[in-house]
Structure formats: structure tokens, C-alpha cells
Amino acid sequence: MSDGDDVEALLRERLHRADQQIEVPAGLWARIKESGTVPAPAAPVTSTSRAPRVTPTASVTPTTSVTPATPMTAGAPVPAGGSVALGSSRRRAYAVVLSVAATVAAVVLGAWWLLRTAGTGPPPAAAVRSVPIAVYNSESACRHLRSLECALRLAKDPYVPYSEPGNFVGRVWHGDVLSAHCVVTDGRLIRDEAGVTSTRWYLVTARKGMTGWLPGVRTRNTQEIPVCSPGERRPSGGT
């Protein structure tokens, strides 16, 4: 037997003795089962080649050393890419949220101010409306006739004598429905055939667009009609 075979036999014997001296700590398998991490049995390794020859030396000196990890303390510097980056992103998020909140508050405040100032202005002008009134002829014989003899005239000016030839706009008959815009209460006094008198005159428009003044005695109105403004009191232009 050569020296190499002796060394190989010696190493095998020492490995076999070391394997026999290894003892499994008591309760190891029970603790592994409780933790639920039972390692799978290792597959048997079949050696297909002969172990390399080892040349014996006087002593074996390890060439590398393992330095234990140094535990991180509270005052240790934070590694790059750690919580420093997280804190920076949080600050940016807070800045964006504060900016959006300030913008929304400014918009709401501006809208409230506009609504407040708009509410203090003068009220909107009332819409112009007209009231329908019917022409009334006190002569019963003319109520069903639309002749010139039974026609009632619309005046151009309520402050001019009703019978003047130039104070004429057009003709209406009993039962015609006119649109009354306003009324004056200090016009010429008119008396009808039944003895009814009135100084009220209505600014009216007929169906064909003819506009003039109808004496109050030529209708039997029961609705409230607004008083004419100074601009509406001027003479009517007719059609």
C-alpha cells in the first residue's frame, strides 16, 4: 500500500468517528414540527468517482476569517434609499395636499363673496305683463252689432277731449278682448249712455296690434292693473 492510500484510509476513519460522535440535541425534532418547518430528507449522494488524493501537511491554517455583523444602534446612520427617501416622499405628498386645500378654500371664498355682493344689489325689474279686459257698450242694442254706429273709439291721448276728430286711433266693439298694460286715473271725465262716469283710462292693445286709450266707462274691469309710468302717459301712436 502506498502513502496516498494510507492517508485516504486515515481520513475515512476519522470522518467515520466524527460522524458517530455527533449527537442530536434532545427535543430538536419536536421543536421543528411545532414551527411547521420540517426539512425534507436529503437525497442520498452516491459517489461515482474516487475521492481526490490529499497530501498531508504539518498543520492546516484557515486563510479566511468571518467578522461578526455589527448590530445597528439608534444613532447609526440610515443607509441610502431607506427611510430618508420615504420621509422625503411624505413631505412632498403633504405639500401637494396643502396646496390643493388652499386652492379649494380660495375658490369657495370667492364664490361666497360674489353671491354676497350680488344679493345686495337692486331687485330685478318686474316683468311687463298685460291684463285682458273686455270692451263694454252700455247700449244693449249695439252689443250684437259691429256697425260703425255701434263702434267705440280708442283715443290717442287720455288728456284731450274724447270727441275731438284728431283724438282717434281706431275702433273696437262690444265683447272685444284687449290687452291692458296700465291705467291713468286722472284723465278726461267721460260719461256713458247709462250715466256712469270715470276719469280712468286704460292703455290697451287690440288683436291687430292697434294701441290706444280706452275710457274706463267702456269696460267693466275687476282686475288690478298697474298705474302708468310718466313715459307711458304720452300720446299713443296707434298702429
Side-chain angles (χ1 to χ4, degrees), residues 137 139 142 145-153 168 170-173:
N137 194 329
E139 293 185 277
C142 285
L145 301 176
R146 296 185 70 84
S147 62
L148 292 177
E149 292 75 14
C150 293
L152 303 174
R153 65 192 299 179
F168 174 81
R171 298 181 179 90
V172 292
W173 284 266

Side-chain angles (χ1 to χ4, degrees), residues 112-135:
W112 172 81
W113 180 258
L114 289 176
L115 292 176
R116 178 176 176 273
T117 54
T120 58
V128 178
R129 66 183 184 90
S130 60
V131 178
I133 61 175
V135 177

Side-chain angles (χ1 to χ4, degrees), residues 73-179:
T73 60
V78 179
S83 61
V84 174
L86 180 60
S88 178
S89 63
R90 286 182 178 177
R91 285 195 295 271
R92 286 196 298 269
Y94 291 155
V96 171
V97 171
L98 291 176
S99 177
V100 172
T103 303
V104 172
V107 171
V108 172
L109 182 61
W112 172 81
W113 180 258
L114 289 176
L115 292 176
R116 178 176 176 273
T117 54
T120 58
V128 178
R129 66 183 184 90
S130 60
V131 178
I133 61 175
V135 177
Y136 179 82
N137 194 329
S138 59
E139 293 185 277
S140 59
C142 285
R143 291 175 185 171
H144 302 287
L145 301 176
R146 296 185 70 84
S147 62
L148 292 177
E149 292 75 14
C150 293
L152 303 174
R153 65 192 299 179
L154 294 179
K156 184 182 295 185
D157 192 337
Y159 300 102
V160 175
Y162 186 45
S163 60
E164 280 194 5
N167 196 16
F168 174 81
V169 172
R171 298 181 179 90
V172 292
W173 284 266
H174 178 84
D176 288 353
V177 178
L178 311 177
S179 298

Side-chain angles (χ1 to χ4, degrees), residues 9 36 38 42-43 49 133 219:
V38 180
S49 61
I133 61 175
T219 184

Side-chain angles (χ1 to χ4, degrees), residues 190-216:
I190 302 297
R191 183 189 300 271
D192 69 359
E193 293 76 12
V196 178
T197 60
S198 176
T199 58
R200 293 171 65 89
W201 290 71
Y202 296 94
L203 180 62
V204 298
T205 300
R207 291 183 178 179
K208 295 182 179 181
M210 179 179 56
T211 301
W213 293 91
L214 180 71

